[in-house]
Amino acid sequence: MALKTIARRAAVVGSGIAGLFSARVLSDYFGEVVLIDRDDIPAAPGTRSGVPQGNHFHALLPGGLNIGCDLFPGFADDLVAAGAVQCVGGRDFFVFRPEGKSYDLARFQPEPKPAGLIYFMSRGLLEHCIRRRVSSLPNVLTQYKSLVREPLTEGGRVTGVLLDGRERVAADLVIDATGRNARSIKWITTLGFEAPAESVVNCDFAYASAVLRPVDPNAIGGAGFFVFPKPEDNNVRGAYLVRVEGDIWLAGLGGRYEDHPPTDIGGWRDFGRSLAWPIWDELVSTAELVTDPVPFKFPRSVRRHFERLERFPEGLVPLGDAICHFNPLYGQGMSAAACQARALGDVLQRRARESRDLTGLALEFFPEAYEVTRTPWALAAAADFLDARTTGDFPTDELESLGMLQVLGALADTDPQAAQLITDIVTLARPLAALHESPWRERLAPSAATSTPS
Ligand SMILES: Cc1cc2nc3c(=O)[nH]c(=O)nc-3n(C[C@H](O)[C@H](O)[C@H](O)COP(=O)(O)OP(=O)(O)OC[C@H]3O[C@@H](n4cnc5c(N)ncnc54)[C@H](O)[C@@H]3O)c2cc1C
């Protein structure tokens, strides 16, 4: 139900995670929201061609989960009812690191330290649960199997979209949630506006993932694990094995810097046998392969600096991967999309309160979107640049925070509050800016000033 209607209709192009969260937020301020996707979205959870990354493990970090639960009260219960595997962070998910088995992703933690609940499911199931909530909103309409060809424009402003079948959807605001390839870049340049500058991190990462049916789904000994490479051997091969809905396992191999996992079954299994730890291969060999391994190559993370633009077409706002997409290794994209959708909601709420219309909305939103993507971008880039083969733009503007984070990491072994803060930051539940609040700033800044992040 609308809180205070700012305008009549919004059209959201792309019904992925960013589009769905956006539609939820917009439904509070628009009489009607039309959610459009080129895919014929299946009624049941599944993979679809518009989101090829959906064949690979998608972890919803606490940062994104918290926003999901705020926007859709009871959302975590939906996930469980739909079959997601509920487990305890810090206990049921572990990482085989060079130092040994660890119960913490960010650092070596050999003993379990149970923390909050986390949920494992396929990307298809997660999207399905969000979509079901969004579709039940009375003022959200869906228009699937409809490719958006181009925007409708009038005097340099976007006034809707033109669909493949030549149908026109008029809208006061169009959200571009079309993902990494951001259709709106072409739209704005055609309208005579400047495209945003980009920062890139050439991380060269590739997945090959398959679905397995295990004899005993519990054989993992928890809900899942990662196998990390051994940097000392210059090894860049890693893996995941996770339990998802329906008592199945998702098994994936990852490689970098041209050492990509093969997708023929023999080559895939050989790659799995070459990992730093044998556990992945041992477990995979006990299960039945349901699908062939499917690849996904991710050459670079890209951040589009919309926040630097001084002019932008009225009636259009890009959001989600269209603004910033990250090396999938760190599981940040969906949470970053959720943070951006929430930031858009904050901007609209301010406008509704001040009885302002949509004029200048994009230029007001971009700095907020930049702010909420600073943490995932800096964390992913800093981790990627640990390997000298990564090239691109190091986030030098975040050097101080990254130095403070390193000092915090050293404190975390003995200080439970420091351990909690570092977990919150790497899972995007809190921003790097939390390091600059008292008492952390006083505790961390002096040592950080004398050390450079490595
Ligand atoms: C291999 C891989 C693994 C990942 N793992 C994780 C993870 O573990 N955790 C995590 O948080 N994130 C992960 N991500 C990132 C995550 O998939 C995205 O960040 C997230 O889905 C937000 O994307 P989006 O909604 O902006 O775009 P997308 O999810 O790509 O959705 C774009 C939508 O737009 C539609 N579309 C495109 N063009 C048109 C058009 N012209 N007309 C109509 N519709 C159109 C598409 O059909 C699609 O539905 C991963 C990414 C990859 C590549």
Side-chain angles (χ1 to χ4, degrees), residues 222-233:
F225 61 82
F226 284 149
V227 176
F228 279 6
K230 275 193 184 156
E232 65 272 25
D233 297 344

Side-chain angles (χ1 to χ4, degrees), residues 14 17-18 37-38 48 53 58-59 123 148 183 321 328 331 333-334:
I17 303 295
D37 204 283
R38 63 183 171 187
R48 56 189 181 89
Q53 72 268 35
H58 269 62
R123 148 92 190 218
V148 170
R183 303 301 183 279
D321 278 13
M334 299 188 296

